[in-house]
Amino acid sequence: MSSAAAFSFAPLLPTGADQTEYRLVSDEGVDVVNGPGGRRFLTVEPAVLTQLTAEAMHDIAHFLRPAHLTQLRSIIDDPAASPNDRFVALDLLRNANIAAGGVLPMCQDTGTAIVMGKRGRHVLTDGTDEEAIARGVYEAYTRLNLRYSQLAPLTMWEERNTGSNLPAQIELYAEDPGGQPDAYKFLFMAKGGGSANKSYVYQETKALLNPDRMMRFLDEKLRLIGTSACPPYHLAVVIGGTSAEYALKTAKLASAKYLDGMPTEGSMLAHGFRDLDLEAEILELTRQFGIGAQFGGRYFCHDVRVIRLPRHGASCPVAIAVSCSADRQALAKVTPSGVWLERLETDPARFLPDVTDAHLETEEVVRIDLNRPMDEIRAELAKYPVKTRLSLSGPLVVARDIAHAKIAERLDAGEPMPAYLRDHAVYYAGPAKTPEGYASGSFGPTTAGRMDAYVAKFQAAGGSHVMLAKGNRSRGVTESCHQHGGFYLGSIGGPAARLAQDCIKHVEVLEYPELGMEAVWKIEVEDFPAFIVVDDKGNDFFAEVTKPVLTVGRR
């Protein structure tokens, strides 16, 4: 064996100076005390961590970063954007404006609370940091109009909602953040199921590490993300890694812009780096998909981050993750000067264009009266091609995973399809808590694919002939719609607050009230936006745009 290289050390994920703009949350509960050897120590009371966490979870449920809002506005101003791109971007900006009022969260899936903290060696606490942070999550989710999504496993097969959105994912590290021994720095995130479910890791080999093969690989894999996680996305791709799980964790951090300050070239210190050239190439690749901001166009992604990591010679993990249109994260820090939280945008109205809907509508918007009999609704939808934009008014039935499972059990037992699924279109969704004075809480669509297994059975029994949700469906759904005369309508993923404020006029429980947000609901909607995605002729908008077409290599 050759002689060993001289010892050298660099962090795997070196980051630059913190350029974040912060706001002061409090200067109470922190103090600086003298320690041995003339050192100065920052003391942090548990209540500080609780207050900071609760404040952060409030902010990321209602506010976005100015850079994200700027990117949404740029879609509207881009003459190369499709009409559907611009319509989605405008709807998301309107949603941000409503959410910033602090009542309706921007997304009905208010997510799993994720907190990462790095505590400097001169920071002293009482050792209950994780509990104090969890209490802050609890206070935010129980006090605000957020949704409880965490399920406690009672047995291998039985689960029950915890009723508080706990547990949170809390990871704390003993590390001088940014070289500051007297600082405690945090990343707060809220990750909804749709976005979290689009995290992938692939175990590849050295053979992938050439430009042409890498782009072909990404052309195939990135299309599989689809639209169910609510694009436009902040996309992260990590190539390499000391383990598969480290690669995936790095991808999550990169999608949150946490690693933007990394070096842009590698060295024999074997640290990670960003590949800016490959970022630009991948972004252009996604522009050519045709998927766009959910219903056709260029804006599948806002931007791309590519991180290259060191790897074991026998392994080459590739991790992919996205942050969705609910781009919910914020940095924070506790220092001798106080408790600080990233300043998010509280006035998103300044990003709205001075245009009306009419300026953005270059295609016909078809109005569908949901009060009509189901056969008449289907006959009207049958007149239009996929990608047609719709405006829905009238009653919808709301049912999702657990309700579908219960109805399937009834069908298996020989019972008839419930009349509400025969007579009405079904919306796959689950609301957040309803604020006082509102018809509903934030009430955006959930991922359609989770209900794919039920479609053929339900349509054969006379139900679910018109379905409304977000994201692409399986081939089996298209075939069932062709056979039974059904339709799948895509709803814009993301603007849950706007739908609650502007489109949903009445909400009542029809069945299974014990399921909480998973109950079967009946809602009345007005001018609810949707697009025809799958029709009764066997056409599926997403079928074409998810096929890899790359024929040229990297230049």
Side-chain angles (χ1 to χ4, degrees), residues 451-471:
M451 269 55 73
D452 283 4
Y454 302 104
V455 172
K457 179 193 290 285
F458 283 24
Q459 289 188 341
S464 293
H465 278 127
V466 177
M467 302 161 286
L468 177 66
K470 67 174 181 177

Side-chain angles (χ1 to χ4, degrees), residues 331-348:
L331 299 175
K333 61 183 180 180
V334 184
T335 69
S337 62
V339 184
W340 302 85
L341 181 60
E342 182 175 354
R343 185 182 300 279
L344 302 180
E345 181 58 63
T346 58
D347 182 25

